[in-house]
Amino acid sequence: MKFLLIMHANPRIWDALTEEKRNEVMSGHGPFMEAITKSGEMISTTALADPSQSAVVRVRGGLPAVTDGPYLEAKEYLGGYYLVECDSRERALELAALIPDAGVEGLGIEVRPVVFMGTAAG
């Protein structure tokens, strides 16, 4: 079964952490990626830039309208994810608990089953 382990970011919470704690969280991803790669559960991972660097495209009246910034004004935004394949939902929940961000008060990891994946034709 494939699961998306979604890391949501909240700038207010992140900025309130000490630099030491932020470094601990960031450096904790290396051992996590190593462990799930070794176990064969890692499919991929992606970290996204700050939403201030994003753009939103909407087509209105047949013309694209582009605005800067995140899609919605929100406290939290998608910061990145791990795509994993494991035997059960319970194992996916165990893996989510090992992601360093899960240990930060006010943050959590959303675990969502994947129902469809497409690939680029080559």
Side-chain angles (χ1 to χ4, degrees), residues 10-61:
N10 183 321
R12 183 183 56 77
I13 292 170
W14 187 254
D15 293 344
L17 299 176
T18 64
E19 185 176 351
E20 180 181 351
K21 182 62 177 176
R22 286 192 300 264
N23 289 336
E24 179 185 315
V25 170
M26 297 304 290
S27 65
H29 284 271
F32 176 72
M33 287 186 286
E34 193 175 305
I36 64 173
T37 298
K38 187 175 182 178
S39 71
E41 295 168 307
M42 166 81 104
I43 295 173
S44 67
T45 186
T46 300
L48 301 174
D50 187 88
S52 65
Q53 298 179 40
S54 68
V56 177
V57 178
R58 295 177 176 91
V59 178
R60 301 294 183 260

Side-chain angles (χ1 to χ4, degrees), residues 2-9 29 32-33 36 41-49 77-85 95-96 99 101 108-112 114 117-118:
K2 290 179 179 64
F3 292 89
L4 201 60
L5 310 180
I6 305 167
M7 296 170 287
H8 295 280
H29 284 271
F32 176 72
M33 287 186 286
I36 64 173
E41 295 168 307
M42 166 81 104
I43 295 173
S44 67
T45 186
T46 300
L48 301 174
Y77 60 90
L78 178 62
Y81 63 84
Y82 289 97
L83 178 60
V84 299
E85 185 161 13
L95 293 176
I99 296 173
D101 306 55
I109 307 301
E110 181 180 351
V111 177
R112 190 178 300 181
V114 174
M117 277 183 61

